[in-house]
Amino acid sequence: MGVGLHRLAPLMVVVFSGLFLHEGFPKPLIIGAPLAFLGVVLIGMTSHTDAGLDVTGLLLALLAAVMYAGCTLLQKHLLSAGADSTTLTFFGAAAGTVALLPWTGSMIHAVQTAPLDATYVVPAIAILLSWLILGEVPTPLMLLGGALCLLGVLVTRMGWRRRG
């Protein structure tokens, strides 16, 4: 279930930007966002473990999506209020560094033993590990959901012109 929830974060940013930052809801957004959300729902409906619904994983994925959306909205607000982008980037990196400090030892070991090209294969390895460890084999419905997510994002990015 958590596989699709991270896709909610950009949708949350778009909807909350329209509501709280008064960015509005243009036609491509009104059409594309529901398409992408439908894709997330389809992926979520087919993602499960042998033990059934993983509520802890679901809640953690939802928390991550909400935190991402909240941080993005805060950043957009601060930038529009005149904050310096370099300062915001520094504080974001500093906050991430502090949050990850407990894993410094394992990170150092992983970096020392990783081959130079390891970072380029991260997405493929993540999919493979999800399949091998979590048993998350993409179903046709999940693939359809992923395609709808991408289509929804594509539609929201289209520059539709208003008729004069």
Side-chain angles (χ1 to χ4, degrees):
M1 196 70 130
V3 170
L5 281 179
H6 73 279
R7 290 176 177 88
L8 281 178
L11 290 174
M12 288 178 187
V13 169
V14 167
V15 171
F16 294 155
S17 291
L19 291 173
F20 302 124
L21 300 180
H22 309 292
E23 293 183 2
F25 296 95
K27 191 174 190 177
L29 175 65
I30 291 172
I31 295 170
L35 276 175
F37 185 73
L38 177 61
V40 171
V41 169
L42 289 177
I43 292 169
M45 286 174 37
T46 59
S47 301
H48 64 283
T49 64
D50 291 336
L53 181 62
D54 179 13
V55 176
T56 303
L58 175 66
L59 292 175
L60 286 173
L62 184 59
L63 176 64
V66 169
M67 295 293 289
Y68 170 85
C71 289
T72 302
L73 287 175
L74 178 62
Q75 181 184 28
K76 286 178 79 170
H77 173 72
L78 292 173
L79 286 171
S80 67
D84 177 39
S85 61
T86 303
T87 303
L88 286 179
T89 301
F90 171 78
F91 282 123
T97 300
V98 169
L100 294 173
L101 280 176
W103 294 276
T104 302
S106 58
M107 185 268 308
I108 291 171
H109 174 72
V111 169
Q112 288 175 340
T113 58
L116 290 177
D117 62 348
T119 55
Y120 296 112
V121 295
V122 168
I125 291 174
I127 291 169
L128 181 62
L129 288 177
S130 293
W131 185 3
L132 294 175
I133 296 172
L134 303 176
E136 293 180 353
V137 178
T139 65
L141 196 57
M142 291 173 85
L143 294 174
L144 175 62
L148 283 173
C149 287
L150 293 174
L151 177 63
V153 170
L154 176 68
V155 169
T156 63
R157 298 289 183 214
M158 293 174 70
W160 293 5
R161 295 184 182 183
R162 294 182 182 176
R163 293 187 177 184

